[in-house]
Amino acid sequence: MSARCDLSPVWAELQAHFDQEGAASGRGFDIRTAFQADAGRFQALSFQAPEVFADLSKNRIDASTLALLLKLARDCGLEARRDALLRGDPVNLTEGRAVLHTALRAPAGSGAPFNDEVQASLDTMLAFAESVRRGERGAITDVVHIGIGGSDLGPAMVVQALEAFRAPGLRLHFVSNVDGHDLAPVLRGLDARHTLFVIASKTFTTQETLANAQAAKAWFLAQGGTDVARHFVATSSNTAAAAAFGIDTAFGFWDWVGGRYSLWSVIGLPIAIAVGADNFRALLAGAHAMDQHFATTPLEGNLPVLLGLIDIWYRNFHGFTSRSVAPYHQGLRRLPAYLQQLEMESNGKGVDLDGQPLSVGTSPVVWGEAGTNGQHAYFQMLHQGTDVIPVEFIAVKRPHHGVTGELADKLLDQHRKLLANCLAQSQALMQGKTAAEALAEKAPTASATLDREVLARHRSFPGNRPSTTLLLDALTPRSLGALIALYEHRVFVTGALWGINSFDQWGVELGKALCNQLLPRFESGDTAGLDASTAGLLKRLLSA
Ligand code: F6P
C-alpha cells in the first residue's frame, strides 16, 4: 500500500482501462453512447448527500471506471487517512499540526476533539455577534471586516450567499487588498460612530491586513472617533499581537484551524453578525452533517470521495488541467474565488509527503463565474475550444427573492429561466452538434461568401464535454454549510491520494520575503543587485 496513488498497482489498471476505452471507440469514452446503452445511468450515477444532490452521470465514467477508482482509494488507505484527519492526528506534517476544522462544527457533547474549548469559543463569539445586532455596542450600522485569503474569502462568500438572512439595516463590508483602492471607497460612505471594524488574521502578521487595519484606525481617529477599544475587535490565533496593535477585544482560535478552513471559527464573526447566532449554528450543523456523511458512508456512495476520484481521473488520466465552477445563483458568485484558495492553495503542491518530486499533476486550475453571466463570456471556449474543461454546475431549486406581488411572480419566472439555462448548458456540452446537423439547420445568419459546409463546421460542437451538477433545495445556512464541507473533504481526498500535504502553503512565502526586501528600495531607489527586469521596472515606477 502506498500513500501516493500513482505508485499503487491499481494506477496501472486504471491506465489500461483508460487506454482500452480509447482503443474501443477510437475516441475514448463517449457520454452520449453511455446514456444510450444504459437506461439506468442517471439513477446509477446520481447521489444524495446531506443537503446536496449530485448528478455525476454526465461524466466520462461508468461503473467499471468507478470500481477501479474506488479500488485505488482503498489501496491507498484513504479511509485510514480520513480517520486520522478526523481524529486529530498531526496530518499537516510540515507544520506539525492537526487539521481539525471538523471539530469546529461538531455539536456540544459529541466527544469531538477540543469540544469544550470549541463550544466556549463559539458561545462567546455568538454572544458578541448578538450584542452587536441588538445595538448593545452602540448603534452599529456598518461592519468593516479586514482580512485576506482564508481570513476573507470564506466569510465574504458566505455573507454574500446568505444575503436573504442578513439583518436589515446592517451593512457588511469586506476589505482585503493592500491596494488602497479597496479600503478608500468603503470608508468614504461611513460614519465612525456607527462603524465596527473586525480585524481578522490568523497570524496577525499579514502585511495587507495590518496595513489596512492601521489605515482604518487612523481614519477612525481622524473622524473624531474616540473609543477604539469599542470599535475595533480582532479574530486571531495570535491574540497577543492583536493586543500589541491596541485591540482589547480579541477572539482567539487555535493553530489546528487552517486559514482556508477557518470560516467555522471566530473568523466567521461577520457571518454571525450578519445572519445571527441561530443561522450560524445552522451553517455549522449543515457542515457537520456532511462531515458525518464523509466519515461514515461507504466509499461507493460517499460524495466527497466520488468527486475527488473523478478529479483524479480527469487530471491524471484525461490530462484535463482545469475545472470550471458555474454556480447558477447570484448569491454564490464568489464561490469560485473561495474554491480557488481552498483547492489551489491546498493542492498546488509539487512534492509528496517525503519531499520527493511528484510525477503526476496535482491541483487543476479552478475558475468560474455565476451563471448565466459566464455563458456570455467564456462558455464559447467550453463548448468549442480545443481544451476539454469539466464544468461543475450548482443549481438551487427554490429561490428566495424576498419580494412580493407582481415582482415575485416575475422573479419566479426568471428563476425558471435560470434553471433552464443551467440544464441546457450541461446538455449542450454533452450533446454537441455534428457538422451534418449544423448543415441541416437553417443558419440564423448566412455569410454571402462562405460555403455552407464550411459554415456548418464553424457551427458544429464536438460534445462529449463532461459536467457534474450539484442541486440544493434552497440556499440556506444549513445547505451552504454542507456544500462548503463537501468541497473541503473533496480537496482532502485528492490531496491524500496524491500523497501531498494539503494543509501548508509554503509557496506563498518567497514572494512575501522578496516584497519585504524590495519595499525599502522604493524609498532609497537603490537597484543594486537586482535582476535587470526588476531594476528596470523599479526605476520606471520611481521616475518623476
Ligand atoms: O499567504 C497565504 C495565507 O497564509 C493564507 O493561507 C491565509 O489564509 C492568508 O495568508 C491570511 O493569513 P492570516 O489569516 O494569517 O492573515
Side-chain angles (χ1 to χ4, degrees):
M1 186 172 91
S2 166
R4 258 177 67 174
C5 63
D6 60 314
L7 303 180
S8 155
V10 187
W11 191 264
E13 289 184 54
L14 272 159
Q15 188 61 57
H17 176 72
F18 178 80
D19 294 343
Q20 191 205 340
E21 278 178 348
S25 65
R27 294 185 340 109
F29 187 92
D30 191 284
I31 308 166
R32 298 158 291 198
T33 313
F35 272 105
Q36 281 155 16
D38 180 6
R41 183 174 168 85
F42 174 72
Q43 279 73 18
L45 291 176
S46 52
F47 299 85
Q48 180 68 58
E51 303 289 329
V52 185
F53 175 84
D55 172 19
L56 309 186
S57 66
K58 290 198 190 90
N59 281 292
R60 293 189 188 178
I61 53 166
D62 60 15
S64 60
T65 322
L66 270 188
L68 277 174
L69 287 166
L70 290 164
K71 186 175 170 190
L72 180 76
R74 290 208 162 90
D75 189 62
C76 297
L78 180 65
E79 287 148 304
R81 300 181 64 194
R82 171 198 62 193
D83 297 345
L85 170 88
L86 300 177
R87 206 168 42 228
D89 289 6
V91 296
N92 177 356
L93 286 183
T94 62
E95 296 177 306
R97 290 175 187 164
V99 178
L100 275 172
H101 43 279
T102 50
L104 299 169
R105 49 239 191 176
S110 61
F114 303 104
N115 195 251
D116 291 346
E117 293 95 312
V118 166
Q119 295 306 320
S121 158
L122 180 62
D123 290 345
T124 309
M125 187 270 272
L126 292 181
F128 178 82
E130 285 296 334
S131 74
V132 173
R133 289 164 61 87
R134 283 194 301 266
E136 288 167 15
R137 293 191 56 95
I140 297 297
T141 54
D142 293 85
V143 176
V144 180
H145 186 262
I146 295 178
I148 197 165
S151 298
D152 166 71
L153 289 161
M157 182 269 289
V158 171
V159 166
Q160 198 172 60
L162 299 181
E163 164 64 23
F165 298 81
R166 186 171 54 81
L170 199 54
R171 288 178 292 269
L172 278 289
H173 312 268
F174 290 85
V175 174
S176 55
N177 201 334
V178 74
D179 182 350
H181 296 103
D182 199 359
L183 182 65
V186 169
L187 294 180
R188 207 169 288 141
L190 300 185
D191 180 335
R193 290 166 304 167
H194 302 301
T195 302
L196 174 71
F197 291 92
V198 179
I199 314 301
S201 175
K202 181 179 171 185
T203 56
F204 225 83
T205 58
T206 303
Q207 182 202 58
E208 294 91 330
T209 301
L210 296 188
N212 276 321
Q214 294 282 12
K217 193 166 148 189
W219 171 87
F220 178 80
L221 296 172
Q223 294 296 307
T226 47
D227 199 352
V228 172
R230 207 170 169 75
H231 287 264
F232 282 76
V233 300
T235 52
S236 180
S237 64
N238 186 357
T239 46
F245 181 86
I247 294 181
D248 292 351
T249 310
F251 300 93
F253 63 106
W254 309 272
D255 70 355
W256 43 261
V257 180
R260 51 194 174 274
Y261 300 88
S262 64
L263 73 90
W264 321 100
S265 72
V266 295
I267 291 288
L269 176 61
I271 304 171
I273 294 175
V275 303
D278 289 348
N279 284 319
F280 192 84
R281 287 188 189 278
L283 182 82
L284 298 182
H288 179 66
M290 189 59 78
D291 295 342
Q292 296 287 91
H293 170 82
F294 180 52
T296 61
T297 308
L299 300 192
E300 285 70 13
N302 194 311
L303 191 55
V305 172
L306 294 169
L307 290 173
L309 288 173
I310 295 172
D311 289 341
I312 299 266
W313 182 234
Y314 285 157
R315 180 73 185 93
N316 298 128
F317 294 90
H318 285 270
F320 303 154
T321 54
S322 102
R323 191 174 80 249
S324 187
V325 179
Y328 276 64
H329 192 299
Q330 187 66 3
L332 292 173
R333 63 193 177 279
R334 289 289 285 163
L335 183 69
Y338 167 80
L339 293 178
Q340 281 176 341
Q341 189 200 18
L342 180 66
E343 190 151 347
M344 294 161 77
E345 196 171 79
S346 296
N347 285 345
K349 305 291 163 61
V351 298
D352 68 12
L353 291 171
D354 297 323
Q356 295 303 315
L358 294 167
S359 41
V360 298
T362 54
S363 176
V365 177
V366 179
W367 57 285
E369 183 63 62
T372 60
N373 295 0
Q375 289 174 211
H376 298 274
Y378 54 77
F379 265 61
Q380 161 65 34
M381 182 262 208
L382 298 178
H383 286 292
Q384 289 190 309
T386 49
D387 289 301
V388 175
I389 296 174
V391 184
E392 201 148 282
F393 294 96
I394 302 167
V396 178
K397 188 170 155 185
R398 286 199 308 276
H400 185 327
H401 298 119
V403 296
T404 51
E406 200 186 327
L407 181 59
D409 293 341
K410 289 229 175 312
L411 297 190
L412 197 58
D413 180 55
Q414 287 184 216
H415 191 67
R416 282 183 216 110
K417 292 187 167 88
L418 177 76
L419 294 181
N421 269 286
C422 178
L423 296 190
Q425 289 301 318
S426 71
Q427 242 187 336
L429 285 164
M430 173 178 72
Q431 281 178 4
K433 187 195 289 178
T434 62
E437 286 167 345
L439 193 59
E441 285 176 352
K442 188 174 170 331
T445 53
S447 159
T449 51
L450 208 56
D451 180 85
R452 283 184 65 240
E453 295 204 356
V454 174
L455 182 59
R457 286 202 289 277
H458 284 274
R459 299 182 62 245
S460 72
F461 298 55
N464 197 30
R465 303 224 153 169
S467 67
T468 291
T469 302
L470 304 178
L471 293 184
L472 308 181
D473 265 353
L475 187 57
T476 62
R478 186 178 168 88
S479 69
L480 183 62
L483 182 71
I484 299 168
L486 170 67
Y487 278 107
E488 287 178 345
H489 295 317
R490 169 198 197 157
V491 167
F492 170 78
V493 167
T494 48
L497 291 175
W498 281 321
I500 59 180
N501 182 4
S502 299
F503 301 109
D504 59 11
Q505 57 283 323
W506 300 106
V508 298
E509 295 304 326
L510 178 59
K512 286 185 193 173
L514 292 179
C515 175
N516 287 334
Q517 288 169 25
L518 277 173
L519 205 47
R521 294 175 185 264
F522 277 76
E523 287 283 333
S524 68
D526 177 18
T527 59
L530 291 177
D531 63 86
S533 164
T534 308
L537 292 169
L538 182 60
K539 276 188 194 141
R540 272 194 92 84
L541 285 170
L542 295 180
S543 64

